[in-house]
Amino acid sequence: MTDTRISRRFAEVASQGRPAFVTFVMAGDPDPAASLDILKALPKAGADVIEIGMPFSDPMADGPAVQAAGLRALHAGQTLAKTIDLVRAFRAGDTTTPIVLMGYYNPIYVYGPERFLADAKTAGVDGLIIVDLPPEADDELCLPALAGGLNFIRLATPTTDDHRLPTVLANTSGFVYYVSITGITGAAKPDANRVAAAVGRIKRHTDLPVAVGFGVRDAETAREIGRNADGVVVGSAIVQAVAASLVDGKASARTVPAVAALVEDIARGVRAARAAE
Amino acid sequence: MTDLPNSLKNGPDERGFFGLYGGRFVAETLMPLILELEQAYEDAKVDPSFRAELSALSTHYAGRPSALYYAERLTEHLREKTGGRFGAEIWFKREELNHTGSHKINNCLGQILLARRMGKTRIIAETGAGQHGVASATVSARFGYPCMVYMGATDVERQKPNVFRMKLLGAEVTPVTSGAGTLKDAMNEALRDWVTNVDTTYYLIGTAAGPHPYPAMVRDFQSVIGTETKEQFFAAKGRLPDALVACIGGGSNAIGLFHPFLDDASVKIYGVEAGGHGVDVQNGHAASMTGGRPGVLHGNRTYLLQDGDGQILEGHSISAGLDYPGVGPEHSWLKDTGRVAYVPATDKEALAAFQLCSRLEGIIPALEPSHALAHVLKLAPTMDKDQSIVLCLSGRGDKDVFSVAGYLGETMSEM
């Protein structure tokens, strides 16, 4: 299972001598129709890979921005079934941009893991990031996902030492998501030098691309982080742009352009990451 | 713990599962620490010096053993209702007499010693009714650690006396406004703190839930309740009690009472959940096992109150300590195996039991064990007079007098 939309996209950007820009948005935020419009705008604005959050009532690893985005989506009636529909609708117009669903296990457990994997694959999902499924729980979803042709992307963190890294990497595929800080999404700005060292350490253990996220919120940080990482993930800043564009809690004419403008700006940082070297 | 092959006391397995339930469903940042904690606990529990220190603190600081008390007037009151023909003896395991006023101190003393052993320098805890928060603040003061307690904003409002107690003890109380501002939301926020400060911080979980090894560890620290009960009841009556009854939020007092009796088949065991406005009222109760389904939250698989999409419901109970949409995983397993019967008691039933106990026994119970007592009021008259029930009176009701006054239409000046 080496050839997937995800591996092809990382190989493609590597051949262009730059990191991939991975964007995170919340499915159904602020409403189903606007959410699809936002998704469609992302590749044009410079997103190479799209992570779509599956909203959950109790997002223990997320900071206030992503928590609020999930609540907006849930209040607008988002469900896991609708998130899969959203991917299907996006795929109808884009067959190349990799889609990774990111979230927590319980909605999937209740949906039924086997049914979820089949429906997600059919809809055009390429990979999964499930925050509360560590390697110790691989039999729950990771192994069936791999068998079903989906990438299972694992989070490695500053607490994942050399002793534990092989366990974390064992069933990881697609890419490795390095969490740049110990903390929640959208928290402190990561230290670029420390991140570079950590990425180097992970790459000694795997040939998979390493993307870095948590705390990257502007073009300058993206440029710094992208110097050494194979991908840069931005999430909280994007969902905050959604939030800032709302009028009376609803999508406005500014919503899609505001998100696109931010993504274009950060994309320039990502693309300039190795330009001066 | 026992190694008997057919024992119900062998769980969890090496991966932290009680049958389908339990496990370690946490973010990778926490995983190395969870494994370190498991190792530290395994080492500590076979270390004689750890056990000796815990035992000495339990005796001289917490005031153990707690009394086992025959509630004679309550027993007679219920017998009269049957014309004197039926009515089991009702005994109270008086955990409300412990230092800090509840069973929570048992677990906090064990975990604070573990935190010190692991070299941690900061304690965090979540609390619902505030009993665990007070116990955490107490042991943090006793051992000289800074303590941060996360408490739902709704609970801060309805448990003011405990909030002030925690502050007096030097803890910082952070009101949590996300969700409905109750225990579940406090636990989310505590987990966010932990993931951010993982190097220095020990998360002192208050109930027998969360990722492995917490459910087993908290149970072990609380099992002193059942072990003492067994000895004390035998000393009084020369046999085992016929029934045990305890309230279930996360279920730590209950598992502590139940566990030493699980293999004693003659002992009937009842766990009483918060039935709120009634278990048939959508989102109007906190009875995870009576009215919920298995799911994954806060590090473990267990029965949860949730909707069809797997979103967690807030639940409702008059008692802040039971107002939690999940339950410890060992209870979920004991429900499925049928060893323990889990039943609901409503807000109204608990309030009536709270008043009855105060008037007949001169003991003001907390609202949490008032739920268990409400079930005892139904159960005792169906049993013979030579039978006995032990109720875990897990906490005292001082913290609840303001909110109970409100429910009863009395007005009291604010603290």
Side-chain angles (χ1 to χ4, degrees), chain A residues 38-75:
Chain A
I38 291 169
L39 276 187
K40 286 177 174 171
L42 291 174
K44 269 173 265 167
D48 298 304
V49 177
I50 300 175
E51 289 178 8
I52 302 180
M54 298 176 279
F56 181 47
S57 53
D58 294 80
M60 286 89 70
D62 284 303
V66 177
Q67 287 177 45
L71 283 180
R72 288 195 297 270
L74 290 174
H75 286 152

Short mmCIF file of all heavy atoms in Angstrom, two decimals, chain A residues 38-75:
data_model
loop_
_atom_site.label_atom_id
_atom_site.label_comp_id
_atom_site.label_asym_id
_atom_site.label_seq_id
_atom_site.Cartn_x
_atom_site.Cartn_y
_atom_site.Cartn_z
N ILE A 38 -15.96 25.94 1.27
CA ILE A 38 -14.62 26.17 1.82
C ILE A 38 -13.66 25.08 1.32
O ILE A 38 -12.56 25.37 0.85
CB ILE A 38 -14.66 26.19 3.36
CG1 ILE A 38 -15.38 27.44 3.87
CG2 ILE A 38 -13.25 26.12 3.95
CD1 ILE A 38 -15.70 27.43 5.36
N LEU A 39 -14.11 23.82 1.40
CA LEU A 39 -13.27 22.70 0.94
C LEU A 39 -12.84 22.90 -0.50
O LEU A 39 -11.66 22.72 -0.84
CB LEU A 39 -14.05 21.39 1.03
CG LEU A 39 -14.09 20.64 2.35
CD1 LEU A 39 -14.78 19.29 2.13
CD2 LEU A 39 -12.69 20.43 2.90
N LYS A 40 -13.82 23.26 -1.32
CA LYS A 40 -13.52 23.40 -2.76
C LYS A 40 -12.50 24.51 -3.02
O LYS A 40 -11.74 24.45 -3.98
CB LYS A 40 -14.81 23.72 -3.52
CG LYS A 40 -15.75 22.53 -3.68
CD LYS A 40 -17.03 22.98 -4.38
CE LYS A 40 -17.93 21.80 -4.69
NZ LYS A 40 -19.26 22.26 -5.16
N ALA A 41 -12.50 25.52 -2.14
CA ALA A 41 -11.59 26.66 -2.34
C ALA A 41 -10.15 26.35 -1.90
O ALA A 41 -9.21 27.03 -2.29
CB ALA A 41 -12.11 27.88 -1.58
N LEU A 42 -9.99 25.33 -1.06
CA LEU A 42 -8.67 25.10 -0.46
C LEU A 42 -7.58 24.73 -1.48
O LEU A 42 -6.49 25.32 -1.45
CB LEU A 42 -8.76 24.04 0.64
CG LEU A 42 -9.53 24.46 1.91
CD1 LEU A 42 -9.68 23.27 2.86
CD2 LEU A 42 -8.81 25.61 2.61
N PRO A 43 -7.82 23.77 -2.38
CA PRO A 43 -6.73 23.41 -3.31
C PRO A 43 -6.29 24.59 -4.16
O PRO A 43 -5.09 24.83 -4.36
CB PRO A 43 -7.35 22.30 -4.18
CG PRO A 43 -8.43 21.71 -3.32
CD PRO A 43 -8.98 22.89 -2.55
N LYS A 44 -7.27 25.39 -4.62
CA LYS A 44 -6.93 26.56 -5.44
C LYS A 44 -6.08 27.57 -4.66
O LYS A 44 -5.24 28.27 -5.21
CB LYS A 44 -8.22 27.25 -5.93
CG LYS A 44 -8.70 26.74 -7.28
CD LYS A 44 -10.07 27.32 -7.63
CE LYS A 44 -11.17 26.37 -7.22
NZ LYS A 44 -12.51 26.78 -7.18
N ALA A 45 -6.33 27.62 -3.34
CA ALA A 45 -5.60 28.59 -2.50
C ALA A 45 -4.22 28.08 -2.10
O ALA A 45 -3.45 28.80 -1.47
CB ALA A 45 -6.43 28.92 -1.27
N GLY A 46 -3.93 26.82 -2.44
CA GLY A 46 -2.58 26.33 -2.17
C GLY A 46 -2.48 25.16 -1.21
O GLY A 46 -1.38 24.75 -0.84
N ALA A 47 -3.61 24.59 -0.82
CA ALA A 47 -3.57 23.42 0.07
C ALA A 47 -3.17 22.20 -0.76
O ALA A 47 -3.72 21.96 -1.83
CB ALA A 47 -4.93 23.19 0.72
N ASP A 48 -2.22 21.44 -0.23
CA ASP A 48 -1.81 20.20 -0.92
C ASP A 48 -2.55 18.99 -0.38
O ASP A 48 -2.78 18.02 -1.09
CB ASP A 48 -0.30 19.99 -0.74
CG ASP A 48 0.51 21.12 -1.34
OD1 ASP A 48 0.34 21.37 -2.55
OD2 ASP A 48 1.29 21.75 -0.60
N VAL A 49 -2.83 18.99 0.90
CA VAL A 49 -3.54 17.90 1.57
C VAL A 49 -4.60 18.56 2.44
O VAL A 49 -4.35 19.62 3.03
CB VAL A 49 -2.58 17.06 2.45
CG1 VAL A 49 -3.33 15.97 3.21
CG2 VAL A 49 -1.43 16.47 1.61
N ILE A 50 -5.78 17.93 2.52
CA ILE A 50 -6.84 18.49 3.36
C ILE A 50 -7.18 17.52 4.48
O ILE A 50 -7.50 16.35 4.22
CB ILE A 50 -8.11 18.81 2.54
CG1 ILE A 50 -7.79 19.83 1.45
CG2 ILE A 50 -9.23 19.32 3.46
CD1 ILE A 50 -8.97 20.10 0.51
N GLU A 51 -7.07 18.02 5.71
CA GLU A 51 -7.60 17.29 6.85
C GLU A 51 -8.97 17.83 7.17
O GLU A 51 -9.15 19.05 7.26
CB GLU A 51 -6.72 17.48 8.09
CG GLU A 51 -5.38 16.79 8.03
CD GLU A 51 -4.55 17.08 9.29
OE1 GLU A 51 -5.08 17.66 10.25
OE2 GLU A 51 -3.37 16.72 9.28
N ILE A 52 -9.93 16.92 7.33
CA ILE A 52 -11.28 17.34 7.68
C ILE A 52 -11.60 16.82 9.07
O ILE A 52 -11.57 15.61 9.31
CB ILE A 52 -12.31 16.79 6.66
CG1 ILE A 52 -11.97 17.28 5.25
CG2 ILE A 52 -13.72 17.22 7.06
CD1 ILE A 52 -12.93 16.77 4.19
N GLY A 53 -11.89 17.73 9.99
CA GLY A 53 -12.23 17.33 11.35
C GLY A 53 -13.62 16.73 11.41
O GLY A 53 -14.55 17.23 10.78
N MET A 54 -13.73 15.64 12.14
CA MET A 54 -15.05 15.05 12.40
C MET A 54 -15.48 15.57 13.77
O MET A 54 -14.85 15.25 14.78
CB MET A 54 -14.93 13.52 12.45
CG MET A 54 -14.46 12.91 11.15
SD MET A 54 -14.21 11.10 11.27
CE MET A 54 -12.59 11.02 12.06
N PRO A 55 -16.50 16.43 13.83
CA PRO A 55 -16.81 17.07 15.10
C PRO A 55 -17.19 16.08 16.19
O PRO A 55 -17.83 15.06 15.91
CB PRO A 55 -18.00 17.99 14.77
CG PRO A 55 -18.43 17.66 13.41
CD PRO A 55 -17.37 16.86 12.72
N PHE A 56 -16.74 16.39 17.42
CA PHE A 56 -17.04 15.54 18.57
C PHE A 56 -17.34 16.45 19.76
O PHE A 56 -16.70 17.48 19.93
CB PHE A 56 -15.85 14.63 18.88
CG PHE A 56 -16.06 13.69 20.04
CD1 PHE A 56 -17.25 12.95 20.15
CD2 PHE A 56 -15.10 13.55 21.03
CE1 PHE A 56 -17.45 12.09 21.22
CE2 PHE A 56 -15.30 12.69 22.11
CZ PHE A 56 -16.48 11.95 22.21
N SER A 57 -18.29 16.03 20.57
CA SER A 57 -18.73 16.84 21.70
C SER A 57 -17.63 17.06 22.74
O SER A 57 -17.66 18.04 23.47
CB SER A 57 -19.93 16.17 22.38
OG SER A 57 -19.61 14.81 22.69
N ASP A 58 -16.65 16.17 22.81
CA ASP A 58 -15.64 16.23 23.88
C ASP A 58 -14.22 16.11 23.34
O ASP A 58 -13.54 15.11 23.59
CB ASP A 58 -15.92 15.13 24.91
CG ASP A 58 -17.22 15.39 25.63
OD1 ASP A 58 -18.29 15.09 25.06
OD2 ASP A 58 -17.18 15.91 26.76
N PRO A 59 -13.78 17.13 22.59
CA PRO A 59 -12.45 17.04 21.95
C PRO A 59 -11.32 17.35 22.92
O PRO A 59 -10.84 18.47 23.00
CB PRO A 59 -12.55 18.09 20.84
CG PRO A 59 -13.52 19.11 21.37
CD PRO A 59 -14.47 18.39 22.28
N MET A 60 -10.86 16.32 23.63
CA MET A 60 -9.94 16.49 24.75
C MET A 60 -8.57 17.04 24.35
O MET A 60 -7.86 17.57 25.20
CB MET A 60 -9.71 15.17 25.48
CG MET A 60 -10.89 14.72 26.33
SD MET A 60 -12.05 13.73 25.39
CE MET A 60 -11.15 12.23 25.13
N ALA A 61 -8.17 16.87 23.08
CA ALA A 61 -6.83 17.31 22.69
C ALA A 61 -6.85 18.65 21.96
O ALA A 61 -5.84 19.09 21.45
CB ALA A 61 -6.17 16.25 21.82
N ASP A 62 -8.04 19.26 21.88
CA ASP A 62 -8.15 20.48 21.09
C ASP A 62 -8.28 21.72 21.95
O ASP A 62 -8.91 21.71 23.00
CB ASP A 62 -9.34 20.38 20.14
CG ASP A 62 -9.03 19.49 18.96
OD1 ASP A 62 -8.04 19.80 18.25
OD2 ASP A 62 -9.73 18.49 18.76
N GLY A 63 -7.71 22.81 21.42
CA GLY A 63 -7.81 24.11 22.07
C GLY A 63 -9.13 24.78 21.73
O GLY A 63 -9.95 24.23 20.99
N PRO A 64 -9.32 25.99 22.26
CA PRO A 64 -10.62 26.67 22.13
C PRO A 64 -11.08 26.86 20.68
O PRO A 64 -12.28 26.73 20.41
CB PRO A 64 -10.35 28.04 22.78
CG PRO A 64 -9.21 27.80 23.72
CD PRO A 64 -8.37 26.73 23.09
N ALA A 65 -10.17 27.15 19.73
CA ALA A 65 -10.59 27.44 18.36
C ALA A 65 -11.23 26.22 17.70
O ALA A 65 -12.31 26.31 17.10
CB ALA A 65 -9.40 27.93 17.53
N VAL A 66 -10.57 25.07 17.83
CA VAL A 66 -11.11 23.86 17.20
C VAL A 66 -12.33 23.35 17.97
O VAL A 66 -13.29 22.85 17.37
CB VAL A 66 -10.01 22.77 17.06
CG1 VAL A 66 -10.60 21.49 16.49
CG2 VAL A 66 -8.88 23.26 16.18
N GLN A 67 -12.32 23.51 19.30
CA GLN A 67 -13.52 23.16 20.08
C GLN A 67 -14.73 23.95 19.57
O GLN A 67 -15.81 23.39 19.36
CB GLN A 67 -13.34 23.55 21.56
CG GLN A 67 -12.41 22.69 22.36
CD GLN A 67 -12.28 23.25 23.79
OE1 GLN A 67 -13.25 23.62 24.41
NE2 GLN A 67 -11.06 23.30 24.29
N ALA A 68 -14.53 25.26 19.38
CA ALA A 68 -15.64 26.11 18.95
C ALA A 68 -16.11 25.72 17.56
O ALA A 68 -17.32 25.69 17.27
CB ALA A 68 -15.22 27.57 18.99
N ALA A 69 -15.16 25.38 16.68
CA ALA A 69 -15.53 24.98 15.31
C ALA A 69 -16.38 23.72 15.34
O ALA A 69 -17.38 23.60 14.62
CB ALA A 69 -14.26 24.77 14.48
N GLY A 70 -16.00 22.77 16.18
CA GLY A 70 -16.76 21.53 16.29
C GLY A 70 -18.17 21.77 16.81
O GLY A 70 -19.13 21.19 16.32
N LEU A 71 -18.26 22.67 17.79
CA LEU A 71 -19.59 22.97 18.34
C LEU A 71 -20.46 23.67 17.30
O LEU A 71 -21.65 23.38 17.19
CB LEU A 71 -19.46 23.86 19.59
CG LEU A 71 -19.03 23.14 20.86
CD1 LEU A 71 -18.95 24.14 22.02
CD2 LEU A 71 -20.00 22.01 21.21
N ARG A 72 -19.86 24.58 16.51
CA ARG A 72 -20.64 25.24 15.44
C ARG A 72 -21.20 24.20 14.49
O ARG A 72 -22.36 24.24 14.10
CB ARG A 72 -19.76 26.23 14.67
CG ARG A 72 -19.40 27.51 15.42
CD ARG A 72 -18.85 28.58 14.48
NE ARG A 72 -17.60 28.19 13.82
CZ ARG A 72 -16.38 28.42 14.31
NH1 ARG A 72 -16.24 29.03 15.47
NH2 ARG A 72 -15.30 28.06 13.63
N ALA A 73 -20.35 23.24 14.14
CA ALA A 73 -20.77 22.20 13.19
C ALA A 73 -21.87 21.34 13.80
O ALA A 73 -22.88 21.05 13.14
CB ALA A 73 -19.57 21.34 12.80
N LEU A 74 -21.70 20.95 15.05
CA LEU A 74 -22.72 20.10 15.68
C LEU A 74 -24.04 20.85 15.80
O LEU A 74 -25.11 20.28 15.57
CB LEU A 74 -22.24 19.62 17.06
CG LEU A 74 -21.10 18.61 17.05
CD1 LEU A 74 -20.61 18.32 18.48
CD2 LEU A 74 -21.53 17.30 16.38
N HIS A 75 -23.97 22.14 16.15
CA HIS A 75 -25.20 22.92 16.25
C HIS A 75 -25.88 23.05 14.90
O HIS A 75 -27.09 23.19 14.83
CB HIS A 75 -24.92 24.30 16.85
CG HIS A 75 -24.65 24.25 18.32
ND1 HIS A 75 -23.85 25.15 18.98
CD2 HIS A 75 -25.04 23.37 19.27
CE1 HIS A 75 -23.79 24.84 20.27
NE2 HIS A 75 -24.49 23.75 20.46
#
